[in-house]
Amino acid sequence: MANGVFDRTSPEAAWESTSTDSCSTVLDRCKETDDGSHPVTVNLDLPTSLRPRSRSQRSHIRQYVESLLDQERQRVWENREEANSNTSGSTSSLQSHNVTSAEKKSKQYYKFYPLSSKFYVKVPFDRLGLLALFDRHKNVTENLFAVVLAVLVGILGCLVLSKEFYHDFWIFLFCFVMAGCQYSLIKSVQPDAASPMHGYNHIIAFSRPFYFCICCGLVLAFHYGATHVTRTTYTLYGLAITNQWTMELARDLILVLLLCFPLLFTMGLLPQVNTFMMYLLEQIDINIFGGTGTTSLTSATYAVSRSTLAVLLLYGFCYYPMSVNGFEDNGQPVMFSVFCGLLVSLSYHLSRSASDPSVLVQWVKEEISKRMMSQSESSSNETSDESLVDPLPQKLRVSVRERLHSDLIVCCVSAIFVFAVHVSTAFTTLQPHLMEVLCYIAGTIGLLIHYVLPHLRKEMPWLCFSHPLLRNHERKLFEVKDAARVMWFEKLYIWSRSIERNIIYTALFLSAITKSAPHIVKDTKLGLECGSLAIVVCGMKALRCAFSDTPRQYIIVIFTLFFFMFDYTKSSETFLIDYFLMSLFVNKLCDFILKLQFVFTYIAPWQITWGSAFHAFAQPFSVPHSMMLFAQAAISSFLSAPLNPFLGSAIFITSYVRPLKFWERDYNTKRADHSNTKLSSQLDRNAGADDDNLNSIFYEHLTRSLQHSLCGDLMMGRWGTVSQGDCFIIASDYLNALVHIIELGNGLVTFQLRGLEFRGTYCQQREVEAITEGSEDDYGFCCCELGHLPHMLSLNATFNQRWLAWQVTVTKYVLEGYSISDNSAASMLQVFDLRKVLITYYVKSIIYYTVRSPKLSDWLNHDNITSALQPLCDKKYCDLDPIFNSHVDEDYDPLQNGISRSRFCYVYHAWIQHCVSRRENGIYNGKDSMLVSLCFALSLLGRRALGTAAHNNASSSVEFFLYGLHALFKGDFRITSIKDEWVFSDMEMLRRVVAPGVRMSLKLHQDHFTAPDEYDDHQVLYEAITSHEQNMVISHEADPIWRNAVLSNTPSLLALRHMFDEGSDEYKIIMLNKRYLSFRVIKVNKECVRGLWAGQLQELIFLRNRNPERGSIQNAKQALRNMINSSCDQPIGYPIYVSPLTTSYSGTNPQYSGITGQEFTLHRVKKAIIGVWNRIRLHCGAACSVAGRSSFEDTGLSPYQPSSRDISGRWRERARSSSASGSASVSASVSVACSGLPTNKEKDSKDRSSFKSTTSPLKPGSASNITLPLQLSQIPETIAAVSKDKEVITRRVRIQDVSCVYDNINLGRRIDVMWPKDKWRQMGGKSSWNDWTPEEGMEGPVVHQWTPCHRDPRSRSHIDKTMLLVNIDDKYYVPITENGVLDLGAQV
């Protein structure tokens, strides 16, 4: 019906649009024309979108409409005259009038054009009537797809009926199912039981015909296979896979399934089409190819295509050696060794590749665009968007590029190495003992690494101990101030897991492939073709799972070995196939156990929480159906479907299958700010001012922190044993979020974070208390309190912990975040004196930004500005605006009842002079100067704008004052006075002077409470404003700059927030400081989360339960029901932030990279080789040159420290101490060797060969032991001469953590360190770096070192950490703490 339109046109005029375009119905009152040929429309009610096609037609229609109006007027006049003449009408005339009115009644019909625009059919329905009868498709593609599906349903249904599978009543039922599938294409069920969204879901209309076609196609295929079975049958474990009985059984099961379609769709057991396809492809990739979870249908298609391509590539290398029978006489073909090398390298690469190709595609596009675009265009584009660029996409592209470079090197090396090892026949000659030894080693190491060690690190090991047996360093700290310290057991876990993954399992599966390959082809009756395919698929899955899902492999190895070695020895189909099928069984068994744990925990009678009367009613009725519950748990585990409690009760039903991602919709929180809201709403309604919208930025920053460090932390075991689909809750003082692990590969993890409300409901608070309280104070022993053993839990605590669907993994997980402090602005500005302080800082900030502006000269020479400011140049000028008040204005002149120029100069002229003195280009700043007039005018403008925004009541009420201050803070400047219209000559004065002045004044007002008199000094105030401008972002929270600053890890931020909370209207000053936060990590049963999510979808969408206090969201501490249900996508749940699917790579975690090293790239390999060669040169030179060694020992110089700086510092310190005691001069005895410190004569001589010689030291008693008196002032020059003429060995470091860089200690403040050279200080901060910033991986020599509590002020650190000054590229000097670098040794 998409081509139908309403008939509202006349034959003389054609219109472009129809009622379907405007979604409106037009009622036409028709009247026959004089000749009675065609109806015409009168009183046209046309939408604005309907316009004539051309100007000629428009004029023609206008004339035609005017003629119609004239006819209507004439008809009305005739009717009126007839009514006046016939005052009394007869009954017959009345009946005839009614008949005429009925004929003239409006007719509504729909024009449907089935073939062309000339031929149409009139459908007597309006738009709403048609929508009630038929679904409306979006485009022609959906129409064609619906027609094709309807035809396929009819054809396949007729084919099934022709085979006579059904008889009697079942034929009628099958026809009923077929008719329902066809009718659903015309009018679908809305909402459907499997619909994941509210409202009309156009995809769900294709579900029934799609499944009908699939099932009928399978029925016909199995029937064909059953009737045309060949003699070649494939057997596995003694069972024939392709015999007639198997085919008929599968056919009959699907035939029964077809008849159950009405029940299946009513119960919502079959998902919509795109969900099913994504689930099917993901299960194929995981269970057959050993892949990982996927993020979308495109991702699933890409993952399966990638795995299939790899199998096809390896199939040829496997088929050829299998066909030549090269395994006879204990030999093996060389081509099979090539196959093993390629199999290992491709499996390694696939395990390290993410399933989402979007980042890879973006990187390829970026590389192509860089080659195609010119350098000038690319640089201009980068500079234009530099201010608000999101750093995450570029960071992901860099990580992907580095991983690809690393895979290229590692895959080539590993393929060659595996080929060399395998071709040596080590895997054939050592059989069968090699297989058993490797299995026992893998099982033992896996048991220790993935079971014993994680339990020792848990918060309550084995739910018996009260604290971890292996504790992190942060556990004993009250407040975390630094990044988490890497413990010895974390290093042990990383290296043990790396050896297990890359060596033990690789050798085990290569041995299994070598041993099993001949038997698979010959003994299992799979044949050459299928046997080769089985070898490739089983080998790839085993290796990919070993690389990506290492913690679970030892269980599968132990099960496979023991089951087929001791229980069913004769049933084994080689270790490779046994391992493939056992991996499927173990994974489904783990899911089944988790489902049972969830059910037992949820329905336990002693801790059931009835949220409604239905829960109490359903509890006893669930007991007789326990066997059905177990059957559902088994079936849902086999299908990977959730098992959800019906309406939150104790009755469980199976939901439809879902992928690991679970949610079909890609719902992401869209933060409302000034970039996506209208200007009118920003000024009037203050869009996005609710707390949830503003607080969502903290969860977004938390997502970025997790993206940076999560994968490395998981690889170090800080979250315990993690697998795909696991769910965790991380909780701190105010942040509570659910982290869903979707994809877990080799060195990568894809997750989604769902942030809950800061101040949640009562139920949420009860559950937060449950996960934060400890069990150490529980002394219960059944009904008594007998206590517990030391470091152990009591009996009651142990029992209670085992009946929870969650478990605390770690209590002090450290992440980088922001500490939030909010202060009431009303209490800080209630007093007039405090408001006067704010106004004073406001004016001083305006003066500061005016003088610092690069456009100051243009403003002073602007004709319009100077002419407008001419009246203000009068010394007697006074602004008598009633907005100004003596209570809040420091420069208010009580004698003139206004703000006078003389009073302004008296208060602020010294500050203007100081600001000008700090300016590079001096400007005349006398009291009669134009600069003072400009500052005076801008100060008046700023205060007048504040008073206008406060409705002229800023001095009387603090509420109005805060209202005006908040308006100016968010940039709402309304110039209403004619005296201030001169500012429109250049709006940059408002944008660059007045607006930042308002924001800076608020920060200075905050500092005023800590040190009230500190800013009376102009120099201190100037340096404070400069420092805040460089290190802090002061902005409104709805400004996009605020979000960009938070995501860029700005150290400090300040904002003024207007809060509306339950009728209260208050203003808060929000201060953010970057620091390390500690979180509690709670692992939740993933089947509990999936079941509760599925229950909420069914209850709110299909059952349409609108009760906000429904029983399914009431608190249940044993399952964290409220927190889990609150994390659902809106409007099902109410999270304040849902992150996009984010991928974290192990290479971005500096601690993990510091242990295992960074990704292999050609550049890094080259640098590593050069570094090793330099160290070899250093050590060999030191071993061969005793003289060089003695020179360092005699002078006391360390090869890892800058010698001249430390020794000169010690001599200066001695000089100070000696001069203080009254000594006029001091002499020192310095032992001088031939390569040591020279005498004055040696220094003046031109022969310096002694400094460059490396001969053996002189004998005792020679001239080398003469002690010479040296003046202290000559010591530094002497050492500098040695450093200049001798090759000094310095220390070289690599930057590992850029957060340890101090980029603002070169400002010359009293709190900064003392720099050894002024040149280094000028190039040692971001004030001189401009666009350059230090990055991880940069290397350079250490030129200076600051140590805490050093005697020399030039070597004394201003913090409690040792700081190094690193020279990068001989241009930049980077101050960084010692724990933020990696020592590379001495530089030669």
Side-chain angles (χ1 to χ4, degrees):
M1 304 303 296
N3 295 329
V5 294
F6 277 105
D7 186 9
R8 72 181 91 183
T9 60
S10 63
E12 291 82 6
W15 301 89
E16 290 183 286
S17 300
T18 64
S19 63
T20 56
D21 297 332
S22 60
C23 296
S24 62
T25 302
V26 179
L27 301 180
D28 300 337
R29 185 172 57 177
C30 302
K31 178 178 179 294
E32 295 291 335
T33 55
D34 297 337
D35 56 356
S37 58
H38 296 285
V40 297
T41 55
V42 184
N43 295 335
L44 297 176
D45 183 12
L46 300 177
T48 56
S49 61
L50 300 182
R51 293 292 184 268
R53 292 183 178 179
S54 62
R55 182 171 299 178
S56 60
Q57 291 179 351
R58 188 181 303 119
S59 60
H60 179 71
I61 291 175
R62 184 181 303 163
Q63 295 174 2
Y64 186 73
V65 170
E66 289 178 355
S67 64
L68 291 177
L69 293 177
D70 293 338
Q71 294 177 7
E72 181 69 14
R73 295 191 192 97
Q74 184 178 0
R75 185 185 64 82
V76 172
W77 178 258
E78 292 176 356
N79 292 338
R80 184 179 301 175
E81 289 180 351
E82 184 179 358
N84 293 333
S85 60
N86 301 324
T87 55
S88 60
S90 62
T91 305
S92 60
S93 64
L94 182 60
Q95 292 177 352
S96 62
H97 177 72
N98 292 335
V99 172
T100 306
S101 300
E103 293 176 354
K104 294 181 179 181
K105 188 176 181 180
S106 61
K107 297 180 180 179
Q108 300 174 2
Y109 55 89
Y110 203 84
K111 258 186 181 180
F112 174 62
Y113 296 90
L115 297 176
S116 64
S117 59
K118 297 182 179 180
F119 177 75
Y120 62 89
V121 177
K122 292 183 179 180
V123 181
F125 284 97
D126 60 359
R127 179 179 60 87
L128 297 179
L130 280 177
L131 288 178
L133 184 62
F134 303 118
D135 286 341
R136 182 176 179 179
H137 295 148
K138 289 185 175 181
N139 46 45
V140 180
T141 304
E142 286 191 8
N143 280 335
L144 294 177
F145 192 60
V147 171
V148 171
L149 279 179
V151 173
L152 285 177
V153 168
I155 294 175
L156 293 175
C158 292
L159 290 177
V160 171
L161 288 174
S162 66
K163 300 298 181 181
E164 297 183 354
F165 296 130
Y166 299 110
H167 302 280
D168 300 330
F169 173 75
W170 307 117
I171 297 178
F172 168 76
L173 184 57
F174 179 78
C175 294
F176 176 78
V177 171
M178 184 170 61
C181 294
Q182 288 183 326
Y183 181 73
S184 66
L185 294 171
I186 302 176
K187 184 62 179 179
S188 61
V189 179
Q190 299 290 344
D192 192 83
S195 178
M197 57 182 291
H198 288 88
Y200 178 73
N201 186 1
H202 66 98
I203 300 179
I204 209 69
F206 304 101
S207 296
R208 286 169 172 80
F210 172 80
Y211 288 113
F212 184 86
C213 294
I214 294 295
C215 292
C216 288
L218 291 176
V219 165
L220 297 175
F222 283 127
H223 179 69
Y224 179 83
T227 55
H228 298 79
V229 174
T230 61
R231 295 182 180 180
T232 303
T233 58
Y234 299 101
T235 60
L236 191 64
Y237 295 105
L239 300 176
I241 303 176
T242 58
N243 62 354
Q244 182 178 359
W245 179 83
T246 307
M247 297 290 183
E248 290 179 350
L249 177 63
R251 182 198 64 190
D252 295 340
L253 289 176
I254 299 177
L255 287 172
V256 174
L257 183 66
L258 278 170
L259 299 179
C260 297
F261 264 25
L263 180 62
L264 293 177
F265 283 106
T266 303
M267 298 296 295
L269 297 179
L270 295 176
Q272 60 185 20
V273 177
N274 56 346
T275 304
F276 175 77
M277 293 303 300
M278 180 180 173
Y279 159 80
L280 181 63
L281 294 175
E282 183 183 75
Q283 292 298 314
I284 291 174
D285 190 50
I286 292 176
N287 295 320
I288 296 180
F289 299 114
T292 57
T294 56
T295 58
S296 63
L297 182 58
T298 305
S299 171
T301 306
Y302 167 76
V304 174
S305 303
R306 179 183 61 185
S307 301
T308 306
L309 183 63
V311 169
L312 294 177
L313 178 64
L314 293 171
Y315 182 77
F317 291 95
C318 181
Y319 179 82
Y320 176 75
M322 292 294 103
S323 62
V324 297
N325 295 326
F327 287 91
E328 297 179 355
D329 299 330
N330 293 328
Q332 62 180 15
V334 178
M335 187 60 68
F336 191 76
S337 300
V338 175
F339 161 73
C340 292
L342 292 177
L343 178 64
V344 172
S345 59
L346 281 178
S347 300
Y348 176 80
H349 171 66
L350 291 177
S351 68
R352 284 171 51 87
S353 301
S355 63
D356 186 10
S358 59
V359 180
L360 181 61
V361 172
Q362 291 175 4
W363 173 67
V364 173
K365 289 182 179 179
E366 183 183 16
E367 294 297 326
I368 295 175
S369 62
K370 283 183 179 179
R371 296 178 182 274
M372 297 180 62
M373 293 173 58
S374 62
Q375 188 67 24
S376 59
E377 292 178 355
S378 62
S379 61
S380 63
N381 292 336
E382 291 175 359
T383 54
S384 61
D385 297 333
E386 183 181 3
S387 57
L388 295 179
V389 164
D390 189 357
L392 181 60
Q394 181 63 26
K395 183 179 179 181
L396 293 176
R397 288 193 291 268
V398 171
S399 299
V400 170
R401 184 185 66 237
E402 291 183 352
R403 290 174 70 87
L404 290 176
H405 290 172
S406 177
D407 289 353
L408 179 63
I409 299 173
V410 174
C411 289
C412 295
V413 174
S414 62
I416 296 173
F417 180 76
V418 170
F419 169 77
V421 173
H422 193 272
V423 81
S424 65
T425 68
F427 292 105
T428 56
T429 57
L430 298 178
Q431 298 294 349
H433 304 291
L434 179 62
M435 275 289 301
E436 296 182 6
V437 171
L438 290 175
C439 287
Y440 286 125
I441 292 175
T444 304
I445 293 180
L447 183 66
L448 295 176
I449 296 175
H450 305 297
Y451 179 76
V452 177
L453 186 59
H455 274 78
L456 293 176
R457 297 176 60 181
K458 277 187 177 181
E459 184 63 23
M460 288 174 283
W462 291 283
L463 299 180
C464 295
F465 297 90
S466 60
H467 56 77
L469 301 181
L470 295 178
R471 310 180 190 179
N472 292 332
H473 171 72
E474 293 75 27
R475 180 178 171 81
K476 61 184 179 182
L477 301 178
F478 177 75
E479 183 179 0
V480 179
K481 296 183 179 180
D482 206 346
R485 182 180 299 180
V486 180
M487 309 300 292
W488 65 268
F489 48 83
E490 293 177 343
K491 296 180 181 179
L492 174 66
Y493 181 79
I494 291 175
W495 287 114
S496 301
R497 184 171 175 176
S498 179
I499 294 172
E500 177 195 22
R501 177 179 64 242
N502 299 318
I503 298 178
I504 296 177
Y505 281 125
T506 303
L508 172 62
F509 294 128
L510 285 176
S511 177
I513 292 172
T514 306
K515 181 182 178 181
S516 305
H519 300 285
I520 292 175
V521 175
K522 297 179 181 179
D523 300 339
T524 59
K525 298 183 180 180
L526 291 177
L528 178 61
E529 295 80 5
C530 295
S532 301
L533 182 62
I535 294 171
V536 174
V537 173
C538 295
M540 176 181 288
K541 180 185 178 181
L543 287 170
R544 287 183 67 178
C545 291
F547 287 131
S548 59
D549 192 15
T550 312
R552 188 173 287 185
Q553 300 311 305
Y554 81 97
I555 303 177
I556 304 175
V557 170
I558 293 175
F559 266 73
T560 306
L561 181 65
F562 290 169
F563 186 83
F564 290 100
M565 179 179 289
F566 299 105
D567 297 333
Y568 295 91
T569 307
K570 298 181 180 180
S571 301
S572 176
E573 296 284 356
T574 70
F575 181 85
L576 193 61
I577 296 181
D578 296 341
Y579 186 88
F580 179 86
L581 296 177
M582 188 58 68
S583 63
L584 298 177
F585 173 75
V586 169
N587 291 331
K588 301 303 178 183
L589 179 62
C590 293
D591 293 343
F592 179 68
I593 293 174
L594 290 176
K595 280 184 169 61
L596 292 183
Q597 290 178 351
F598 166 49
V599 171
F600 293 156
T601 302
Y602 194 82
I603 66 176
W606 56 87
Q607 60 182 5
I608 188 68
T609 53
W610 294 335
S612 64
F614 175 74
H615 290 181
F617 174 79
Q619 179 75 19
F621 280 89
S622 64
V623 178
H625 301 85
S626 299
M627 289 305 299
M628 186 63 186
L629 177 60
F630 286 114
Q632 287 191 86
I635 296 173
S636 61
S637 299
F638 177 76
L639 298 176
S640 298
L643 189 66
N644 63 284
F646 182 70
L647 298 178
S649 65
I651 300 176
F652 286 82
I653 58 176
T654 302
S655 182
Y656 61 88
V657 293
R658 289 176 173 90
L660 290 176
K661 177 189 171 185
F662 189 89
W663 298 98
E664 289 94 331
R665 292 196 311 150
D666 292 328
Y667 172 80
N668 299 323
T669 302
K670 299 186 185 302
R671 188 172 184 268
D673 56 18
H674 290 171
S675 63
N676 52 24
T677 55
K678 296 181 180 179
L679 180 61
S680 59
S681 63
Q682 297 173 22
L683 300 179
D684 299 334
R685 294 187 297 273
N686 194 19
D690 58 295
D691 286 353
D692 291 345
N693 178 71
L694 298 177
N695 292 334
S696 64
I697 187 64
F698 302 112
Y699 286 115
E700 189 173 4
H701 182 266
L702 183 62
T703 304
R704 299 299 175 91
S705 298
L706 286 173
Q707 191 278 330
H708 182 74
S709 61
L710 179 60
C711 184
D713 292 338
L714 295 184
M715 301 288 283
M716 288 188 284
R718 290 180 174 173
W719 283 27
T721 304
V722 183
S723 61
Q724 294 182 138
D726 284 348
C727 296
F728 296 85
I729 289 179
I730 55 175
S732 68
D733 296 335
Y734 51 89
L735 295 175
N736 299 288
L738 187 142
V739 180
H740 185 199
I741 306 297
I742 297 172
E743 179 185 8
L744 188 61
N746 183 9
L748 63 93
V749 57
T750 301
F751 67 95
Q752 188 176 40
L753 183 138
R754 299 172 175 271
L756 305 182
E757 296 175 316
F758 277 22
R759 292 171 291 180
T761 59
Y762 172 82
C763 296
Q764 179 180 328
Q765 294 301 320
R766 301 292 74 76
E767 293 180 355
V768 170
E769 293 173 1
I771 63 178
T772 54
E773 64 184 7
S775 301
E776 298 85 358
D777 299 332
D778 190 348
Y779 298 97
F781 187 88
C782 292
C783 300
C784 308
E785 291 190 1
L786 301 180
H788 53 78
L789 296 176
H791 310 292
M792 301 287 289
L793 293 175
S794 65
L795 180 64
N796 290 0
T798 304
F799 179 82
N800 293 331
Q801 289 296 324
R802 292 183 182 276
W803 285 92
L804 296 176
W806 51 271
Q807 199 175 79
V808 179
T809 303
V810 63
T811 56
K812 287 292 182 70
Y813 175 67
V814 181
L815 267 181
E816 205 172 29
Y818 282 98
S819 63
I820 308 173
S821 61
D822 56 342
N823 300 315
S824 176
S827 61
M828 303 179 69
L829 295 171
Q830 188 70 40
V831 185
F832 282 120
D833 292 340
L834 296 177
R835 274 182 261 175
K836 179 182 289 187
V837 171
L838 178 65
I839 296 299
T840 302
Y841 287 140
Y842 181 27
V843 175
K844 289 186 176 181
S845 300
I846 290 176
I847 295 172
Y848 171 85
Y849 286 108
T850 303
V851 177
R852 283 282 303 271
S853 176
K855 300 184 66 175
L856 179 60
S857 301
D858 299 338
W859 294 340
L860 296 178
N861 298 324
H862 198 284
D863 295 336
N864 295 336
I865 297 178
T866 53
S867 59
L869 298 182
Q870 198 63 36
L872 278 73
C873 296
D874 188 3
K875 296 181 180 179
K876 299 181 180 180
Y877 179 82
C878 181
D879 197 317
L880 304 179
D881 198 313
I883 291 180
F884 306 132
N885 193 284
S886 61
H887 296 300
V888 295
D889 294 312
E890 184 72 23
D891 53 349
Y892 187 84
D893 194 343
L895 299 178
Q896 303 186 38
N897 293 328
I899 296 180
S900 61
R901 179 186 175 95
S902 59
R903 185 65 180 176
F904 174 81
C905 293
Y906 175 78
V907 177
Y908 298 109
H909 186 254
W911 171 244
I912 296 175
Q913 290 180 329
H914 181 79
C915 293
V916 173
S917 65
R918 302 291 293 268
R919 183 182 169 91
E920 295 181 0
N921 300 326
I923 297 178
Y924 176 64
N925 53 14
K927 293 185 178 181
D928 57 344
S929 63
M930 183 58 66
L931 175 61
V932 176
S933 302
L934 179 62
C935 295
F936 180 45
L938 286 175
S939 70
L940 296 176
L941 182 146
R943 284 179 279 187
R944 192 178 286 115
L946 177 61
T948 302
H951 303 291
N952 301 328
N953 292 320
S955 59
S956 60
S957 174
V958 67
E959 288 79 10
F960 285 103
F961 183 83
L962 287 173
Y963 182 85
L965 181 64
H966 182 263
L968 266 61
F969 195 88
K970 67 179 182 181
D972 183 9
F973 289 89
R974 305 192 181 188
I975 306 302
T976 58
S977 176
I978 194 174
K979 300 178 182 179
D980 300 330
E981 291 182 355
W982 60 271
V983 78
F984 296 129
S985 300
D986 192 347
M987 294 298 294
E988 287 294 311
M989 285 184 286
L990 281 178
R991 185 168 173 262
R992 298 295 185 183
V993 176
V994 184
V998 175
R999 296 166 180 173
M1000 183 59 68
S1001 64
L1002 189 62
K1003 173 55 182 171
L1004 297 176
H1005 187 265
Q1006 291 282 297
D1007 298 341
H1008 175 78
F1009 289 93
T1010 57
D1013 301 330
E1014 184 178 5
Y1015 289 160
D1016 292 343
D1017 187 355
H1018 294 324
Q1019 182 177 357
V1020 175
L1021 178 60
Y1022 191 91
E1023 292 175 354
I1025 298 177
T1026 305
S1027 176
H1028 294 333
E1029 188 180 11
Q1030 294 176 352
N1031 305 323
M1032 177 177 289
V1033 172
I1034 307 174
S1035 171
H1036 190 257
E1037 291 180 280
D1039 196 331
I1041 297 177
W1042 176 269
R1043 176 179 178 271
N1044 184 76
V1046 172
L1047 299 183
S1048 301
N1049 290 324
T1050 304
S1052 299
L1053 297 96
L1054 183 72
L1056 180 62
R1057 178 185 293 186
H1058 190 191
M1059 299 176 59
F1060 302 94
D1061 186 16
E1062 298 179 356
S1064 63
D1065 186 5
E1066 58 180 343
Y1067 294 86
K1068 294 281 188 179
I1069 299 176
I1070 307 297
M1071 183 71 184
L1072 305 183
N1073 291 300
K1074 184 182 174 184
R1075 59 184 292 266
Y1076 288 95
L1077 306 177
S1078 62
F1079 291 85
R1080 294 176 70 93
V1081 180
I1082 297 93
K1083 184 176 183 179
V1084 189
N1085 188 334
K1086 65 179 181 181
E1087 296 300 331
C1088 173
V1089 177
R1090 287 166 60 88
L1092 292 176
W1093 281 351
Q1096 287 297 296
L1097 282 172
Q1098 183 188 50
E1099 182 178 358
L1100 271 73
I1101 295 178
F1102 180 61
L1103 301 179
R1104 304 187 184 186
N1105 188 356
R1106 298 290 187 263
N1107 184 9
E1109 296 297 331
R1110 56 191 180 274
S1112 59
I1113 61 172
Q1114 302 304 316
N1115 75 88
K1117 296 181 180 180
Q1118 75 277 12
L1120 302 180
R1121 181 170 59 189
N1122 182 267
M1123 297 184 71
I1124 293 173
N1125 290 337
S1126 300
S1127 65
C1128 296
D1129 286 350
Q1130 290 186 0
I1132 308 301
Y1134 34 89
I1136 66 175
Y1137 179 75
V1138 177
S1139 73
L1141 300 182
T1142 309
T1143 303
S1144 173
Y1145 296 97
S1146 59
T1148 58
N1149 190 313
Q1151 294 180 340
Y1152 181 81
S1153 301
I1155 298 174
T1156 61
Q1158 295 179 334
E1159 301 287 351
F1160 289 101
T1161 59
L1162 295 177
H1163 177 67
R1164 288 170 181 164
V1165 170
K1166 177 183 175 181
K1167 291 181 66 175
I1169 295 174
I1170 294 175
V1172 171
W1173 172 249
N1174 290 336
R1175 294 190 182 189
I1176 293 175
R1177 284 182 53 200
L1178 171 65
H1179 292 294
C1180 292
C1184 299
S1185 177
V1186 183
R1189 216 172 40 242
S1190 63
S1191 65
F1192 282 109
E1193 294 175 356
D1194 294 338
T1195 57
L1197 305 179
S1198 172
Y1200 298 97
Q1201 296 179 358
S1203 58
S1204 60
R1205 186 64 54 199
D1206 291 344
I1207 292 184
S1208 61
R1210 289 196 293 268
W1211 281 105
R1212 287 193 181 96
E1213 189 67 25
R1214 295 183 183 179
R1216 293 190 188 96
S1217 60
S1218 60
S1219 61
S1221 60
S1223 301
S1225 62
V1226 179
S1227 62
S1229 298
V1230 180
S1231 179
V1232 182
C1234 60
S1235 60
L1237 299 178
T1239 61
N1240 294 336
K1241 295 181 180 180
E1242 290 174 337
K1243 189 176 71 172
D1244 296 335
S1245 64
K1246 297 181 181 180
D1247 186 10
R1248 300 181 182 269
S1249 59
S1250 60
F1251 295 103
K1252 302 178 182 178
S1253 62
T1254 57
T1255 57
S1256 60
L1258 299 178
K1259 298 180 180 180
S1262 61
S1264 63
N1265 290 331
I1266 300 175
T1267 57
L1268 300 176
L1270 297 176
Q1271 297 296 330
L1272 291 177
S1273 59
Q1274 297 175 353
I1275 292 295
E1277 290 79 3
T1278 304
I1279 299 175
V1282 176
S1283 303
K1284 180 179 180 181
D1285 295 309
K1286 193 174 180 64
E1287 184 180 1
V1288 180
I1289 303 174
T1290 58
R1291 178 182 176 188
R1292 189 174 182 86
V1293 296
R1294 178 189 296 136
I1295 298 177
Q1296 293 280 37
D1297 189 1
V1298 294
S1299 62
C1300 298
V1301 174
Y1302 285 76
D1303 53 3
N1304 60 345
I1305 60 174
N1306 65 329
L1307 304 178
R1309 299 172 297 183
R1310 291 177 294 178
I1311 61 173
D1312 296 337
V1313 297
M1314 295 186 63
W1315 290 71
K1317 292 184 179 181
D1318 188 64
K1319 178 183 176 182
W1320 293 355
R1321 184 186 66 82
Q1322 294 176 358
M1323 299 301 297
K1326 65 179 182 181
S1327 58
S1328 58
W1329 292 342
N1330 297 327
D1331 297 335
W1332 183 86
T1333 55
E1335 298 179 356
E1336 297 178 0
M1338 291 184 175
E1339 299 179 3
V1342 178
V1343 298
H1344 189 67
Q1345 177 174 318
W1346 290 286
T1347 309
C1349 304
H1350 198 279
R1351 298 178 64 184
D1352 187 4
R1354 293 183 179 272
S1355 301
R1356 186 183 306 156
S1357 176
H1358 69 307
I1359 58 176
D1360 58 346
K1361 298 178 183 178
T1362 300
M1363 296 185 62
L1364 306 177
L1365 186 61
V1366 184
N1367 184 10
I1368 305 295
D1369 299 335
D1370 296 330
K1371 183 178 180 180
Y1372 304 103
Y1373 293 87
V1374 180
I1376 185 172
T1377 57
E1378 197 171 22
N1379 59 347
V1381 299
L1382 176 64
D1383 192 354
L1384 302 179
Q1387 180 183 11
V1388 180

